[in-house]
Amino acid sequence: MTMRKVNVVILLLLAVAFLIIVQRNLLNLSDILHKENPDAGMILPFETELSPELSLELVRKGEEIPVLITAAEERLGAVVAAMNSVYQNSKANVVFTIVTLNDTVDYLNMWLSKTRLKNVKYKIVIFKPELLNGKISKDPQILEAAKPLTFARFYLPAYIPEAEKAIYLDDDIIVQGDIQELYETNLKPGHAAAFSDDCDSASAKGFIRGAGNQNNYIGFLDFRKEAIKKLGMRANTCSFNPGVIVANLTEWRNQNITRQLEDWMELNTQEDLYSKTLAESITTPPLLIVFYKRHSMIDPMWHVRHLGTTGAGNRYSSQFVKAAKLLHWNGHYKPWGRTSSFSDMWDKWFIPDPTGKFNPVRKQAEE
């Protein structure tokens, strides 16, 4: 046998030996992994497919998107469903600021930590009702309608001091699109906030006849009052719904929007500036005044509302509701109640209460 043939044979033997060693090492490694986690199956180090949990965390790095939502104890199921819909439908690095009252913190923490939302980034901020002293009418009817947490949106920069931009969401919403798209809503120079107008094509379908002129300013403000007259606002100006807000917090601070809102709240306690046909919110009038012709627009499909009113079921098609980026059950009929429209669209994002205290009411459950 020539020297060249001997060298070839040696090289072949070395190659075979190397492959045998590599195979044994890989098998030993897979055995170790299997023993450490027998339910996980065989995972080799060169597999590119990551577990859903790991891939989810990897794609949530980068720019934070601050989302503020309020959490009243009797509506925690709504908060959880809203947060779940935002989180599951987006790959963005969402960070929730949850504004609540002292007696709700433990309940909220438990619900989030013991469900699939345990990996969500959030901080809890306590709302101080004394902030509203002297700013809300002492009329018993008004006090009954004035839920303290509904005013949290007035104080956005205080609750998210590190952010330049943020999203505010009511709790009776479901997000079906990627929240990054809403966050990137373009705000014009000098505008501190963007809203959806009540005259846009999407919400106009849900307008409820006979409930007052709730799609323009005269439905919220009393234009006979001198303080309102002096502003020179047109009564038929299209109003907006503050259940979804994209806020430029830098402009909000610079223009001292919070103080302006508080001034109008205080003046209302003295002069009763709000319209008597006002439907469901005493938080809207101050916002309408402060942001009159000074706000940017949110895409109508990012705020499809009136799902909580009696007429929405007839005015919206199921295809339209499925195509909407954000659904809002503003009105009396909430999706966790028995008579709501499109409650099935809410149900798929609801996470059951581990304590069993919060339970959606469904017709079939009563039969």
Side-chain angles (χ1 to χ4, degrees), residues 152-171:
R153 73 198 83 189
F154 289 8
Y155 301 92
L156 289 175
Y159 294 136
I160 318 177
E162 70 284 357
E164 295 183 2
K165 191 176 183 182
I167 295 170
Y168 166 84
L169 299 175
D170 274 354
D171 61 4

PDB file of all heavy atoms in Angstrom, residues 152-171:
ATOM      1  N   ALA A 152     -58.990  60.176  35.989  1.00  0.00           N
ATOM      2  CA  ALA A 152     -57.555  59.873  35.944  1.00  0.00           C
ATOM      3  C   ALA A 152     -56.927  60.345  34.635  1.00  0.00           C
ATOM      4  O   ALA A 152     -55.757  60.740  34.608  1.00  0.00           O
ATOM      5  CB  ALA A 152     -57.334  58.371  36.121  1.00  0.00           C
ATOM      6  N   ARG A 153     -57.704  60.338  33.555  1.00  0.00           N
ATOM      7  CA  ARG A 153     -57.170  60.754  32.250  1.00  0.00           C
ATOM      8  C   ARG A 153     -56.746  62.220  32.255  1.00  0.00           C
ATOM      9  O   ARG A 153     -55.964  62.642  31.402  1.00  0.00           O
ATOM     10  CB  ARG A 153     -58.201  60.479  31.157  1.00  0.00           C
ATOM     11  CG  ARG A 153     -59.382  61.396  31.125  1.00  0.00           C
ATOM     12  CD  ARG A 153     -60.537  60.829  30.326  1.00  0.00           C
ATOM     13  NE  ARG A 153     -61.335  59.919  31.131  1.00  0.00           N
ATOM     14  CZ  ARG A 153     -62.303  59.147  30.644  1.00  0.00           C
ATOM     15  NH1 ARG A 153     -62.577  59.167  29.362  1.00  0.00           N
ATOM     16  NH2 ARG A 153     -62.990  58.357  31.439  1.00  0.00           N
ATOM     17  N   PHE A 154     -57.262  63.015  33.193  1.00  0.00           N
ATOM     18  CA  PHE A 154     -56.871  64.421  33.282  1.00  0.00           C
ATOM     19  C   PHE A 154     -55.424  64.566  33.773  1.00  0.00           C
ATOM     20  O   PHE A 154     -54.797  65.614  33.587  1.00  0.00           O
ATOM     21  CB  PHE A 154     -57.782  65.179  34.247  1.00  0.00           C
ATOM     22  CG  PHE A 154     -59.189  65.413  33.745  1.00  0.00           C
ATOM     23  CD1 PHE A 154     -59.650  64.828  32.567  1.00  0.00           C
ATOM     24  CD2 PHE A 154     -60.056  66.220  34.452  1.00  0.00           C
ATOM     25  CE1 PHE A 154     -60.943  65.046  32.115  1.00  0.00           C
ATOM     26  CE2 PHE A 154     -61.355  66.449  34.003  1.00  0.00           C
ATOM     27  CZ  PHE A 154     -61.801  65.859  32.831  1.00  0.00           C
ATOM     28  N   TYR A 155     -54.912  63.523  34.418  1.00  0.00           N
ATOM     29  CA  TYR A 155     -53.624  63.615  35.104  1.00  0.00           C
ATOM     30  C   TYR A 155     -52.560  62.709  34.463  1.00  0.00           C
ATOM     31  O   TYR A 155     -51.640  62.248  35.138  1.00  0.00           O
ATOM     32  CB  TYR A 155     -53.813  63.250  36.582  1.00  0.00           C
ATOM     33  CG  TYR A 155     -54.800  64.152  37.286  1.00  0.00           C
ATOM     34  CD1 TYR A 155     -56.155  63.821  37.363  1.00  0.00           C
ATOM     35  CD2 TYR A 155     -54.396  65.355  37.852  1.00  0.00           C
ATOM     36  CE1 TYR A 155     -57.072  64.646  37.989  1.00  0.00           C
ATOM     37  CE2 TYR A 155     -55.298  66.197  38.487  1.00  0.00           C
ATOM     38  CZ  TYR A 155     -56.641  65.838  38.546  1.00  0.00           C
ATOM     39  OH  TYR A 155     -57.540  66.670  39.168  1.00  0.00           O
ATOM     40  N   LEU A 156     -52.673  62.487  33.173  1.00  0.00           N
ATOM     41  CA  LEU A 156     -51.769  61.555  32.488  1.00  0.00           C
ATOM     42  C   LEU A 156     -50.279  61.811  32.759  1.00  0.00           C
ATOM     43  O   LEU A 156     -49.541  60.876  33.093  1.00  0.00           O
ATOM     44  CB  LEU A 156     -52.039  61.586  30.978  1.00  0.00           C
ATOM     45  CG  LEU A 156     -53.360  60.961  30.501  1.00  0.00           C
ATOM     46  CD1 LEU A 156     -53.526  61.184  29.004  1.00  0.00           C
ATOM     47  CD2 LEU A 156     -53.403  59.478  30.812  1.00  0.00           C
ATOM     48  N   PRO A 157     -49.782  63.037  32.636  1.00  0.00           N
ATOM     49  CA  PRO A 157     -48.341  63.249  32.849  1.00  0.00           C
ATOM     50  C   PRO A 157     -47.894  62.926  34.271  1.00  0.00           C
ATOM     51  O   PRO A 157     -46.750  62.532  34.490  1.00  0.00           O
ATOM     52  CB  PRO A 157     -48.155  64.738  32.543  1.00  0.00           C
ATOM     53  CG  PRO A 157     -49.325  65.115  31.708  1.00  0.00           C
ATOM     54  CD  PRO A 157     -50.450  64.278  32.225  1.00  0.00           C
ATOM     55  N   ALA A 158     -48.783  63.087  35.243  1.00  0.00           N
ATOM     56  CA  ALA A 158     -48.415  62.803  36.636  1.00  0.00           C
ATOM     57  C   ALA A 158     -48.237  61.305  36.859  1.00  0.00           C
ATOM     58  O   ALA A 158     -47.399  60.881  37.658  1.00  0.00           O
ATOM     59  CB  ALA A 158     -49.491  63.350  37.576  1.00  0.00           C
ATOM     60  N   TYR A 159     -49.009  60.494  36.144  1.00  0.00           N
ATOM     61  CA  TYR A 159     -48.957  59.047  36.340  1.00  0.00           C
ATOM     62  C   TYR A 159     -47.901  58.374  35.464  1.00  0.00           C
ATOM     63  O   TYR A 159     -47.477  57.250  35.747  1.00  0.00           O
ATOM     64  CB  TYR A 159     -50.333  58.439  36.060  1.00  0.00           C
ATOM     65  CG  TYR A 159     -51.382  58.882  37.047  1.00  0.00           C
ATOM     66  CD1 TYR A 159     -52.655  59.267  36.638  1.00  0.00           C
ATOM     67  CD2 TYR A 159     -51.089  58.944  38.404  1.00  0.00           C
ATOM     68  CE1 TYR A 159     -53.612  59.674  37.558  1.00  0.00           C
ATOM     69  CE2 TYR A 159     -52.038  59.365  39.326  1.00  0.00           C
ATOM     70  CZ  TYR A 159     -53.296  59.732  38.900  1.00  0.00           C
ATOM     71  OH  TYR A 159     -54.236  60.145  39.807  1.00  0.00           O
ATOM     72  N   ILE A 160     -47.507  59.041  34.372  1.00  0.00           N
ATOM     73  CA  ILE A 160     -46.471  58.479  33.500  1.00  0.00           C
ATOM     74  C   ILE A 160     -45.414  59.569  33.286  1.00  0.00           C
ATOM     75  O   ILE A 160     -45.211  60.060  32.171  1.00  0.00           O
ATOM     76  CB  ILE A 160     -47.071  58.025  32.145  1.00  0.00           C
ATOM     77  CG1 ILE A 160     -48.409  57.305  32.354  1.00  0.00           C
ATOM     78  CG2 ILE A 160     -46.106  57.109  31.403  1.00  0.00           C
ATOM     79  CD1 ILE A 160     -49.096  56.892  31.073  1.00  0.00           C
ATOM     80  N   PRO A 161     -44.719  59.965  34.361  1.00  0.00           N
ATOM     81  CA  PRO A 161     -43.813  61.130  34.276  1.00  0.00           C
ATOM     82  C   PRO A 161     -42.618  60.943  33.352  1.00  0.00           C
ATOM     83  O   PRO A 161     -42.056  61.913  32.850  1.00  0.00           O
ATOM     84  CB  PRO A 161     -43.351  61.310  35.731  1.00  0.00           C
ATOM     85  CG  PRO A 161     -43.513  59.959  36.353  1.00  0.00           C
ATOM     86  CD  PRO A 161     -44.724  59.360  35.698  1.00  0.00           C
ATOM     87  N   GLU A 162     -42.241  59.675  33.114  1.00  0.00           N
ATOM     88  CA  GLU A 162     -41.048  59.422  32.305  1.00  0.00           C
ATOM     89  C   GLU A 162     -41.334  59.405  30.804  1.00  0.00           C
ATOM     90  O   GLU A 162     -40.412  59.356  29.989  1.00  0.00           O
ATOM     91  CB  GLU A 162     -40.413  58.081  32.717  1.00  0.00           C
ATOM     92  CG  GLU A 162     -41.215  56.837  32.341  1.00  0.00           C
ATOM     93  CD  GLU A 162     -42.441  56.572  33.223  1.00  0.00           C
ATOM     94  OE1 GLU A 162     -42.666  57.327  34.194  1.00  0.00           O
ATOM     95  OE2 GLU A 162     -43.169  55.612  32.934  1.00  0.00           O
ATOM     96  N   ALA A 163     -42.601  59.438  30.418  1.00  0.00           N
ATOM     97  CA  ALA A 163     -42.963  59.263  29.006  1.00  0.00           C
ATOM     98  C   ALA A 163     -43.199  60.598  28.298  1.00  0.00           C
ATOM     99  O   ALA A 163     -43.611  61.581  28.903  1.00  0.00           O
ATOM    100  CB  ALA A 163     -44.212  58.398  28.893  1.00  0.00           C
ATOM    101  N   GLU A 164     -42.925  60.595  26.994  1.00  0.00           N
ATOM    102  CA  GLU A 164     -43.222  61.762  26.158  1.00  0.00           C
ATOM    103  C   GLU A 164     -44.546  61.593  25.428  1.00  0.00           C
ATOM    104  O   GLU A 164     -45.154  62.566  24.989  1.00  0.00           O
ATOM    105  CB  GLU A 164     -42.102  61.976  25.139  1.00  0.00           C
ATOM    106  CG  GLU A 164     -40.765  62.342  25.774  1.00  0.00           C
ATOM    107  CD  GLU A 164     -39.689  62.612  24.746  1.00  0.00           C
ATOM    108  OE1 GLU A 164     -39.988  62.547  23.535  1.00  0.00           O
ATOM    109  OE2 GLU A 164     -38.542  62.883  25.147  1.00  0.00           O
ATOM    110  N   LYS A 165     -44.990  60.348  25.300  1.00  0.00           N
ATOM    111  CA  LYS A 165     -46.231  60.055  24.596  1.00  0.00           C
ATOM    112  C   LYS A 165     -46.884  58.855  25.269  1.00  0.00           C
ATOM    113  O   LYS A 165     -46.189  57.977  25.798  1.00  0.00           O
ATOM    114  CB  LYS A 165     -45.928  59.743  23.123  1.00  0.00           C
ATOM    115  CG  LYS A 165     -47.139  59.667  22.206  1.00  0.00           C
ATOM    116  CD  LYS A 165     -46.694  59.458  20.753  1.00  0.00           C
ATOM    117  CE  LYS A 165     -47.891  59.449  19.808  1.00  0.00           C
ATOM    118  NZ  LYS A 165     -47.475  59.208  18.398  1.00  0.00           N
ATOM    119  N   ALA A 166     -48.206  58.790  25.266  1.00  0.00           N
ATOM    120  CA  ALA A 166     -48.892  57.674  25.926  1.00  0.00           C
ATOM    121  C   ALA A 166     -50.282  57.494  25.339  1.00  0.00           C
ATOM    122  O   ALA A 166     -50.821  58.372  24.656  1.00  0.00           O
ATOM    123  CB  ALA A 166     -48.984  57.921  27.431  1.00  0.00           C
ATOM    124  N   ILE A 167     -50.857  56.326  25.637  1.00  0.00           N
ATOM    125  CA  ILE A 167     -52.228  56.007  25.224  1.00  0.00           C
ATOM    126  C   ILE A 167     -53.077  55.850  26.481  1.00  0.00           C
ATOM    127  O   ILE A 167     -52.651  55.196  27.443  1.00  0.00           O
ATOM    128  CB  ILE A 167     -52.276  54.700  24.416  1.00  0.00           C
ATOM    129  CG1 ILE A 167     -51.530  54.850  23.088  1.00  0.00           C
ATOM    130  CG2 ILE A 167     -53.716  54.264  24.160  1.00  0.00           C
ATOM    131  CD1 ILE A 167     -51.335  53.542  22.345  1.00  0.00           C
ATOM    132  N   TYR A 168     -54.247  56.459  26.474  1.00  0.00           N
ATOM    133  CA  TYR A 168     -55.230  56.218  27.532  1.00  0.00           C
ATOM    134  C   TYR A 168     -56.364  55.390  26.946  1.00  0.00           C
ATOM    135  O   TYR A 168     -56.851  55.669  25.835  1.00  0.00           O
ATOM    136  CB  TYR A 168     -55.806  57.529  28.086  1.00  0.00           C
ATOM    137  CG  TYR A 168     -57.046  57.284  28.926  1.00  0.00           C
ATOM    138  CD1 TYR A 168     -56.935  56.937  30.270  1.00  0.00           C
ATOM    139  CD2 TYR A 168     -58.319  57.327  28.353  1.00  0.00           C
ATOM    140  CE1 TYR A 168     -58.070  56.653  31.027  1.00  0.00           C
ATOM    141  CE2 TYR A 168     -59.453  57.044  29.107  1.00  0.00           C
ATOM    142  CZ  TYR A 168     -59.323  56.707  30.437  1.00  0.00           C
ATOM    143  OH  TYR A 168     -60.443  56.419  31.171  1.00  0.00           O
ATOM    144  N   LEU A 169     -56.812  54.359  27.697  1.00  0.00           N
ATOM    145  CA  LEU A 169     -57.933  53.521  27.268  1.00  0.00           C
ATOM    146  C   LEU A 169     -58.956  53.391  28.385  1.00  0.00           C
ATOM    147  O   LEU A 169     -58.587  53.144  29.539  1.00  0.00           O
ATOM    148  CB  LEU A 169     -57.445  52.115  26.896  1.00  0.00           C
ATOM    149  CG  LEU A 169     -56.437  51.964  25.746  1.00  0.00           C
ATOM    150  CD1 LEU A 169     -56.001  50.517  25.630  1.00  0.00           C
ATOM    151  CD2 LEU A 169     -57.035  52.461  24.435  1.00  0.00           C
ATOM    152  N   ASP A 170     -60.235  53.528  28.057  1.00  0.00           N
ATOM    153  CA  ASP A 170     -61.289  53.143  28.989  1.00  0.00           C
ATOM    154  C   ASP A 170     -61.218  51.637  29.217  1.00  0.00           C
ATOM    155  O   ASP A 170     -60.641  50.895  28.401  1.00  0.00           O
ATOM    156  CB  ASP A 170     -62.663  53.515  28.422  1.00  0.00           C
ATOM    157  CG  ASP A 170     -63.060  54.954  28.741  1.00  0.00           C
ATOM    158  OD1 ASP A 170     -62.323  55.625  29.489  1.00  0.00           O
ATOM    159  OD2 ASP A 170     -64.112  55.405  28.244  1.00  0.00           O
ATOM    160  N   ASP A 171     -61.834  51.153  30.290  1.00  0.00           N
ATOM    161  CA  ASP A 171     -61.761  49.714  30.571  1.00  0.00           C
ATOM    162  C   ASP A 171     -62.742  48.888  29.732  1.00  0.00           C
ATOM    163  O   ASP A 171     -62.552  47.683  29.559  1.00  0.00           O
ATOM    164  CB  ASP A 171     -61.976  49.432  32.061  1.00  0.00           C
ATOM    165  CG  ASP A 171     -63.344  49.895  32.570  1.00  0.00           C
ATOM    166  OD1 ASP A 171     -64.170  50.363  31.768  1.00  0.00           O
ATOM    167  OD2 ASP A 171     -63.583  49.780  33.790  1.00  0.00           O
TER     168      ASP A 171
END
